[in-house]
């Protein structure tokens, strides 16, 4: 029974560990504050320019308020924010998406016509072979 207490850490060791943990927590809080200031600056710039923020990695749009509230969950450094986020006018994005959608629909319809004509040609061949 006495052996368990001999392995216990001294008060100085415990205090040193607490101080180290406290330093780590304070450093993390400072980093979070630094990053948060950059988020606020980016959101303020977006408000000033009347644009939204687009994150191409997750393909998500954020108005400035949403950016402040949610974007901090994804990125831990301002450098990553600046490299990743794009300022865009949402109306330009709508026009771009509409153009891309129209192009995609055209491609799908062209392909469907091609497949349909190939199927008709194959049916004609099969009918001729049966005769």
């Amino acid at each position: 029974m006495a052996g368990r207490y001999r392995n216990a850490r001294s008060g100085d060791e415990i205090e040193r560990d607490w101080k180290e943990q406290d330093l780590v927590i304070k450093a993390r809080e400072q980093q979070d504050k630094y990053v948060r200031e950059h988020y606020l600056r980016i959101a303020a710039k977006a408000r000033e320019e009347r644009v939204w923020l687009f994150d191409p990695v997750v393909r998500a749009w954020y108005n400035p308020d949403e950016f402040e509230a949610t974007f901090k969950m994804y990125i831990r450094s301002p450098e990553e924010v600046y490299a990743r986020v794009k300022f865009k006018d949402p109306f330009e994005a709508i026009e771009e998406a509409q153009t891309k959608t129209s192009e995609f629909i055209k491609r799908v319809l062209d392909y469907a016509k091609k497949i349909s004509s190939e199927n008709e040609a194959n049916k004609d061949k099969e009918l001729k072979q049966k005769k």
Side-chain angles (χ1 to χ4, degrees), residues 4-19:
R4 284 196 287 173
Y5 295 105
R6 288 185 193 149
N7 292 333
R9 298 184 322 174
S10 70
D12 291 339
E13 289 175 332
I14 293 171
E15 187 176 339
R16 186 177 57 243
D17 285 348
W18 284 352
K19 286 181 181 179

Side-chain angles (χ1 to χ4, degrees), residues 21-68:
Q21 290 175 359
D22 190 44
L23 289 174
V24 168
I25 290 169
K26 285 180 181 178
R28 188 176 307 134
E29 287 173 352
Q30 285 289 76
Q31 177 66 17
D32 288 346
K33 181 181 176 187
Y34 173 70
V35 171
R36 181 73 180 152
E37 288 172 1
H38 285 276
Y39 288 122
L40 295 174
R41 285 186 199 145
I42 292 170
K45 182 179 178 185
R47 276 190 202 92
E48 180 182 310
E49 295 182 13
R50 298 176 191 257
V51 296
W52 284 28
L53 299 136
F54 178 68
D55 179 5
V57 174
V58 294
R59 301 185 57 80
W61 285 89
Y62 301 93
N63 67 38
D65 296 332
E66 292 170 336
F67 179 79
E68 285 180 3

